[in-house]
Structures are given as structure tokens and as C-alpha cells.
Amino acid sequence: MTVVALGADHAGFALKEVLKGWLIAQGYDVVDLGTQSTESVDYPDYAVAAGSTVTAGKADRAVLVCGTGIGMAMAANKVPGARAAACSDAYTARMSREHNDANILALGARITGRDTAIEILETWLVAEFAGGRHARRVDKIVELDRSRDQESPDAQTR
Ligand code: RB5
């Protein structure tokens, strides 16, 4: 069973609720990290929570929703091991899995309608990483996290 973490800010709250209902109806386990209303909040808080949930192995994937998907993806990608893709069409969503092994999908509730968002999400969830030459490239992204960790002053005192 795939566990999907969900996160949204106020702009993404309504779409997050729609996607949550769809995921549960499809049989996915959902971890809802909030927000739970349209009261204004800061998207990085939810992006980092979702990224950490995935990289800690508490969820297989995460879906983030803000106004455009851009801020969520930017913030989530600061979590080592997170590969977040902001997608507004199904082709990009499929490529983000097949070529980039994206483990986080970011959607924009102000630019993507509900039906399209579900189509993007379904495509993204079923698409598999193609491996091969793409694995070599994704490995280089993973290595960026490792080298940054080794460069940090904290790493020398651990
Ligand atoms: C909130 O107004 C908006 O900035 C946020 O939802 C998101 O679109 C940021 O990238």
C-alpha cells in the first residue's frame, strides 16, 4: 500500500481536500499534514514537513498544494533526499517520475482545475522510474545532497 503525505497552504487547502478524498477512495493511505482551513499560513512549513515525512520513510510520496505549486516545490527541495516537481500537466508529471524519480508532486490550485489535478495525480502515482541512464543522472542529484552535508561545519563535529 502506498502511503501519500499531503500538505497545503491556505491557497491549496480546498484542492488538497479534493485530492485527499480521491486518494482515500482509490485505496491509498493518506497522512494529512495540514493546513486545515483557508486561514493564511506559510507554505514552507508544510513543504518541509512533507519532505521530511517522505525522506524519513513515513510516507512513500507526498503531494503539496499551494497557489502555483512553485513555492512548495522550492521549499520541499531544500530537504535532503526530496525531489519535488511542480507540474501543471500530466505529461510533465509522468516525466517527473520516469526520468527524475520525483518523490513529491507540487500542484497549483490557482492554475490547475480539480479534474486536471486528479488526472495529474493519478498519472504521477502510477508512473514508474525508468532507471537506466536516468538513474545515473538522479544519482548525481542525490550526490549533491551528500556533498553539501560533508561541506557543512556541523558535519566536521559529528
Ligand atoms: C500564497 O498567496 C501563495 O504565494 C502561495 O500559495 C504559493 O503560490 C507560493 O508559491
Side-chain angles (χ1 to χ4, degrees):
M1 164 89 61
T2 303
V3 179
V4 181
L6 283 175
D9 70 356
H10 51 288
F13 166 69
L15 181 56
K16 186 254 293 173
E17 293 301 297
V18 170
L19 299 179
K20 182 179 174 180
W22 183 85
L23 285 164
I24 292 168
Q26 299 298 309
Y28 290 97
D29 270 350
V30 169
V31 179
D32 186 348
L33 300 167
T35 188
Q36 302 300 351
S37 76
T38 55
E39 189 178 330
S40 184
V41 293
D42 299 333
Y43 60 83
D45 298 337
Y46 300 88
V48 169
S52 305
T53 298
V54 170
T55 59
K58 294 177 187 161
D60 301 296
R61 308 269 191 91
V63 179
L64 292 165
V65 193
C66 62
T68 60
I70 293 170
M72 284 291 197
M74 284 182 171
N77 278 323
K78 296 293 182 187
V79 177
R83 286 184 299 283
C87 299
S88 52
D89 61 80
Y91 176 77
T92 317
R94 183 161 64 83
M95 287 299 106
S96 81
R97 288 288 310 131
E98 292 184 359
H99 287 198
N100 315 115
D101 199 15
N103 50 15
I104 300 174
L105 172 67
L107 295 168
R110 291 176 179 159
I111 56 169
T112 302
R114 292 176 178 196
D115 289 349
T116 303
I118 289 170
E119 180 196 359
I120 292 170
L121 176 56
E122 183 168 26
T123 301
W124 186 77
L125 285 170
V126 299
E128 300 278 357
F129 180 47
R133 68 187 186 280
H134 304 296
R136 183 180 72 241
R137 294 159 186 167
V138 172
D139 283 349
K140 291 188 176 185
I141 297 175
V142 172
E143 187 55 38
L144 292 174
D145 286 332
R146 282 206 204 97
S147 52
R148 191 176 305 151
D149 191 43
Q150 279 161 11
E151 279 168 18
S152 81
D154 286 354
Q156 289 160 19
T157 56
R158 277 203 290 265

